[in-house]
Amino acid sequence: MGDFNQSVILEAIRQSGEGLSRIELATATRLSAQTVTNITRRLLEGGFIREAGRTINGPGKPRVTLRLVADSRFAVGVHLDPALMTFVLLDLSGAIVRRLSVRTPAEDPHRIVEAMATTIDALIVGSGVDRSRIAGVGVAAPGPLDVEKGTVIDPPKLVGWHRVPLREVLAEATGLPVVLEKDTTSAAVGELWTRRESADDSFVFVYLGTGIGAALARDGEAVRGSTRNIGEIGHIIVDPDGPSCSCGSRGCVEVVCTPQAIVERAERAGVFGDDRRASDVATVHERFSRLCERAAECDDAAVEVLRQAAAHITVLTAALTNMLDVDRVVFGGPFWARLADVYLREIPARLDRASATRAVRTLPVDGTVVGDDVGAVGAGCVVLDSVLSPRASDLLLDS
Ligand SMILES: [Zn+2]
């Protein structure tokens, strides 16, 4: 692999889904018929594509449809979350072949990396896929990251991470190339791969995890930023009268919009009928789920807490969309599914009122099509990008 034109052709075949003939490929890629013939011969020999039937279309030779061989290459995607690690094995079409999740071992980063390597092995062995067909491992982690050193800098609830060269240690432990990507950017890549909206799809992805982050896709490609840390929006102020934040301001996203902040608000509003205060990750998760269940059962106090949360996340979203002028907004991340009902009811109209371009168009607001595993799936897609996509191929996998 590594040949630019080869990547262009493979990506065109993947995007088509149903496959393309050599003539259609030449038109789609603007490569010469001879180049297409040479490259598709190599791809056929390498097992990346196969001939899938002939179509007779008027006079002349019948056209042979070329289709992706989905099980010719695979990628592992890992989502590192403070509470849970999710692992997926994707085939070359981006479909999930196998999935595993394990609790994130507390406190010790070395144990986390060990557990990661062991689970990756279990994932591969359990799938029966030959290791030589695995292109690499993508790890989605909370930012900011030091991409040069391959480390996670200072993730919330994961003490001591800045000392761990995650990429190197994991590459050594698994014998596979490893790429590190922000969870938010991974999610946007997963969305791009799965939805196939259009070649010039542009959207803001608002990621609802333990922390809140944002990602940007522009013209069908994830925008990563100079240090690949785009979307660190935790200290944008969304409620000037809100709680004070460790940064010295009041009402930042981090102390207003995160699951922990929403749970605290619900506790103050008496939603749980006690005066306990959740402090650890597990209790916050459990209470957050209960809050969303109460809201689904139309408990007034619970609904009001989530409506407030929706209003605050809209302030953030409007700041992003007014700045970036995209086609649509996508919400996702591990906490999205539980919030989707209330957020999709509340956010579109609020966002429209706050939109600088409301006279021109209404911004569509959707949930991700990938589901709860969007971080892990996206991390796997980052690896597949390096196999398939000409635009991303220069970014990574320097093994
Ligand atoms: Zn702050």
Side-chain angles (χ1 to χ4, degrees):
M1 301 305 287
D3 178 283
F4 183 81
N5 289 339
Q6 185 164 302
S7 302
V8 170
I9 285 180
L10 252 184
E11 177 66 2
I13 294 172
R14 183 188 81 85
Q15 288 278 358
S16 73
E18 287 302 293
L20 292 172
S21 69
R22 289 177 179 80
I23 293 165
E24 287 166 329
L25 273 172
T27 310
T29 61
R30 298 198 191 126
L31 294 169
S32 73
Q34 190 55 51
T35 304
V36 169
T37 301
N38 292 343
I39 290 174
T40 53
R41 188 189 306 127
R42 273 208 315 262
L43 290 171
L44 283 163
E45 283 165 7
F48 290 98
I49 58 172
R50 65 187 169 87
E51 296 189 336
R54 286 154 204 275
T55 22
I56 297 161
N57 196 358
K61 279 201 325 194
R63 294 177 178 187
V64 179
T65 301
L66 300 169
R67 212 172 275 173
L68 196 72
V69 178
D71 60 0
S72 60
R73 288 293 183 284
F74 297 82
V76 175
V78 181
H79 181 213
L80 170 63
D81 176 89
L84 192 74
M85 294 196 288
T86 309
F87 300 78
V88 293
L89 184 69
L90 305 181
D91 68 20
L92 193 55
S93 75
I96 299 175
V97 176
R98 198 173 175 83
R99 178 191 184 282
L100 284 175
S101 60
V102 296
R103 288 188 86 77
T104 309
E107 300 303 302
D108 181 357
H110 290 281
R111 280 191 48 219
I112 295 178
V113 180
E114 253 173 56
M116 230 181 233
T118 313
T119 314
I120 290 169
D121 274 340
L123 185 79
I124 295 170
V125 170
S127 71
V129 167
D130 191 308
R131 223 181 164 84
S132 65
R133 294 194 171 194
I134 299 191
V137 178
V139 181
L145 310 175
D146 185 334
V147 171
E148 296 246 308
K149 293 201 182 81
T151 57
V152 187
I153 294 171
D154 193 20
K157 321 271 181 199
L158 287 171
V159 182
W161 266 96
H162 59 280
R163 295 192 302 270
V164 183
L166 176 60
R167 189 177 53 207
E168 273 71 17
V169 175
L170 193 61
E172 197 162 307
T174 59
L176 293 164
V178 174
V179 59
L180 191 56
E181 186 73 87
K182 278 185 62 170
D183 47 11
T184 49
T185 299
S186 297
V189 173
E191 179 75 12
L192 282 168
W193 261 74
T194 310
R195 191 180 303 235
R196 292 183 194 168
E197 183 90 348
S198 69
D200 58 356
D201 195 11
S202 292
F203 58 82
V204 164
F205 194 112
V206 181
Y207 183 90
L208 309 176
T210 303
I212 309 288
L216 172 65
R218 176 70 75 192
D219 300 329
E221 192 178 359
V223 177
R224 288 175 161 89
S226 297
T227 65
R228 296 183 69 182
N229 278 305
I230 198 171
E232 290 293 318
I233 42 80
H235 295 285
I236 290 180
I237 295 167
V238 293
D239 179 10
D241 303 320
S244 54
C245 178
S246 61
C247 73
S249 302
R250 299 188 80 87
C252 300
V253 167
E254 197 167 290
V255 291
V256 174
C257 301
T258 55
Q260 179 160 1
I262 296 170
V263 164
E264 279 167 18
R265 191 177 279 263
E267 285 168 343
R268 285 197 300 274
V271 170
F272 304 114
D274 60 33
D275 49 12
R276 281 177 53 212
R277 294 285 180 264
S279 50
D280 59 300
V281 175
T283 315
V284 168
H285 282 220
E286 185 263 320
R287 293 207 140 191
F288 184 80
S289 292
R290 251 205 294 155
L291 168 66
C292 296
E293 282 161 21
R294 296 264 162 93
E297 292 156 4
C298 299
D299 175 289
D300 285 343
V303 171
E304 188 48 36
V305 168
L306 293 189
R307 287 189 64 217
Q308 274 285 336
H312 289 135
I313 203 89
T314 308
V315 175
L316 167 72
T317 307
L320 298 173
T321 53
N322 287 339
M323 169 74 197
L324 297 165
D325 192 19
V326 287
D327 298 324
R328 60 197 183 96
V329 178
V330 183
F331 281 90
F335 292 90
W336 166 248
R338 282 164 276 181
L339 292 167
D341 273 357
V342 176
Y343 275 23
L344 287 177
R345 222 169 32 237
E346 293 288 326
I347 292 173
R350 291 176 184 274
L351 184 62
D352 195 51
R353 285 198 293 279
S355 170
T357 51
R358 65 181 302 204
V360 184
R361 51 87 188 268
T362 301
L363 264 183
V365 177
D366 289 307
T368 174
V369 290
V370 189
D372 283 2
D373 292 336
V374 65
V377 170
C381 292
V382 170
V383 174
L384 296 179
D385 262 343
S386 71
V387 180
L388 284 181
S389 157
R391 289 173 302 199
S393 61
D394 55 342
L395 284 175
L396 41 97
L397 297 181
D398 50 354
S399 64

